[in-house]
């Protein structure tokens, strides 16, 4: 399967248009049509309907494989490039919204560090493809357990910090006066689906062992203050790190008593970088006076 044809197919599905995909990729529309025809011939099945442009059943199945395949190719290219890469004086970081405070308490090494705040999947893709030196990602996990990261290639994780989680409720919520609450007791409440800021609802379902936690509101941004405002206005509940939750105004914060899960921050990198990026990894790993560290392939089973 030619990866160039596969990239064209993904672009057409994403854009819902042959002409827009051609413009995005820098091809002619005729070239895009030829790419799709060649891929369909190779796989022996129609992949797209033309009016409207949409994946067929076979095309939808191919899309489930396409992005991971292309990302693994990008990861291989980035990993090989690192072998001959000269040490960098600067450092580029991708961080999820609730991960970087754990790192920024001390100065970053190197000249002109750059920081990009991205969603969890985007941050992992950025470090896998070599767009950034390092990524800081966060999520919910059992105490001392690593985060369950997607299998995106040969990545290594280093623990940065852990802290307790808390439920954020509007001040008028019936459970607002409780010092702690079991997640299962809130499974039928209204929730905000904020996968890149709060704890994702599927993770809460797994932790609490219930099919509840249905979204009343969806928030696709990365600003925790906006998420807090949505809770305050009664649009639903969310779960955040305790220290973050207590900085929000006009809401009530209740500790999670069960199950015992924590908010965990990990640094993720590919082949151990050199220069300023390596200095930062080693500083986190040394953990003098701070959190310990655990390294493991991010693609290993969790």
């Amino acid at each position: 399967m030619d990866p160039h044809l596969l990239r064209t197919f993904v672009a057409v599905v994403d854009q819902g248009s042959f002409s827009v995909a051609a413009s995005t990729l820098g091809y002619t529309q005729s070239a895009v049509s030829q790419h799709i025809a060649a891929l369909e011939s190779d796989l022996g099945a129609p992949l797209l309907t033309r009016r409207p442009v949409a994946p067929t059943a076979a095309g939808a199945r191919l899309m489930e494989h396409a992005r991971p395949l292309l990302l693994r190719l990008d990861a291989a290219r980035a990993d090989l490039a690192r072998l001959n890469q000269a040490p960098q004086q600067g450092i580029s970081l991708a961080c999820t919204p609730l991960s970087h405070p754990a790192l920024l308490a001390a100065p970053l090494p190197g000249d002109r560090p750059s920081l990009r705040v991205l969603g969890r999947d985007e941050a992992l893709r950025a470090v896998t493809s070599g767009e950034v030196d390092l990524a800081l990602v966060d999520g919910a996990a059992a105490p001392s357990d690593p985060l369950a990261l997607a299998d995106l290639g040969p990545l290594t994780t280093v623990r940065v910090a852990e802290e307790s989680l808390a439920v954020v409720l509007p001040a008028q919520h019936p459970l607002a006066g409780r010092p702690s609450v079991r997640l299962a007791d809130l499974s039928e409440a209204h929730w905000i689906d904020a996968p890149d800021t709060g704890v994702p609802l599927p993770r809460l379902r797994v932790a609490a062992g219930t099919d509840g936690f249905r979204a009343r509101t969806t928030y696709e941004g990365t600003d925790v203050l906006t998420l807090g405002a949505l809770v305050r206005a009664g649009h639903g509940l969310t779960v955040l790190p305790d220290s973050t939750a207590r900085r929000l105004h006009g809401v009530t914060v209740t500790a999670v008593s069960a199950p015992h899960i924590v908010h965990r921050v990990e640094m993720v990198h590919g082949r151990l970088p050199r220069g300023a990026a390596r200095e930062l990894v080693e500083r986190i790993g040394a953990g003098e006076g701070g959190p310990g560290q655990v390294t493991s392939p991010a693609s290993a089973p969790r």
Side-chain angles (χ1 to χ4, degrees):
M1 189 184 304
D2 188 329
H4 296 292
L5 305 183
L6 195 59
R7 289 187 192 278
T8 300
F9 169 71
V10 170
V12 173
V13 173
D14 285 345
Q15 301 297 334
S17 165
F18 279 68
S19 60
V20 177
S23 177
T24 301
L25 296 171
Y27 297 150
T28 65
Q29 185 171 339
S30 174
V32 168
S33 297
Q34 291 172 14
H35 284 190
I36 298 302
L39 187 60
E40 290 177 327
S41 176
D42 180 28
L43 297 178
L47 301 174
L48 294 167
T49 60
R50 269 53 175 183
R51 295 179 184 275
V53 175
T56 62
R61 184 62 60 86
L62 179 60
M63 279 295 291
E64 296 175 7
H65 298 280
R67 294 189 201 279
L69 286 171
L70 293 173
L71 188 57
R72 289 302 294 263
L73 288 173
D74 291 340
R77 186 178 292 110
D79 196 33
L80 292 175
R82 292 186 190 104
L83 290 174
N84 299 315
Q85 192 175 54
Q88 299 293 315
Q89 296 304 311
I91 182 172
S92 58
L93 290 163
C95 302
T96 52
L98 300 180
S99 67
H100 51 83
L103 176 72
L104 301 181
L108 293 174
D111 299 327
R112 299 182 183 178
S114 66
L115 177 67
R116 298 165 60 188
V117 178
L118 302 172
R120 292 182 179 93
D121 291 343
E122 289 79 6
L124 285 172
R125 281 196 288 267
V127 73
T128 300
S129 63
E131 295 176 39
V132 297
D133 301 314
L134 306 166
L136 279 176
V137 296
D138 73 293
S144 299
D145 276 1
L147 295 176
L149 302 180
D151 180 3
L152 301 180
L155 298 177
T156 298
T157 64
V158 182
R159 182 173 73 89
V160 177
E162 283 185 5
E163 69 169 298
S164 58
L165 286 164
V167 180
V168 185
L169 312 98
Q172 68 276 16
H173 194 278
L175 300 180
R178 292 192 181 184
S180 64
V181 66
R182 296 170 64 251
L183 277 181
D185 293 340
L186 292 170
S187 62
E188 299 304 318
H190 293 150
W191 286 87
I192 299 173
D193 182 17
D196 287 326
T197 311
V199 176
L201 298 187
R203 183 68 184 86
L204 296 182
R205 293 186 196 109
V206 171
T210 175
D211 291 332
F213 301 99
R214 301 301 171 189
R216 178 183 186 181
T217 306
T218 298
Y219 174 56
E220 297 181 354
T222 58
D223 180 15
V224 70
L225 295 180
T226 300
L227 180 57
L230 289 171
V231 175
R232 185 169 63 248
H235 293 289
L237 314 182
T238 192
V239 173
L240 293 172
D242 186 78
S243 62
T244 300
R246 294 187 185 281
R247 288 196 295 268
L248 299 175
H249 299 291
V251 297
T252 296
V253 177
T254 301
V256 176
S257 61
H260 191 192
I261 55 175
V262 297
H263 177 255
R264 182 180 173 99
V265 177
E266 294 180 352
M267 176 175 287
V268 183
H269 63 83
R271 188 177 300 275
L272 187 61
R274 293 180 284 173
R278 181 165 188 160
E279 180 183 340
L280 182 58
V281 171
E282 291 176 343
R283 179 201 297 174
I284 296 296
E288 184 176 353
Q293 61 94 15
V294 176
T295 60
S296 63
S299 57
R302 296 305 198 195

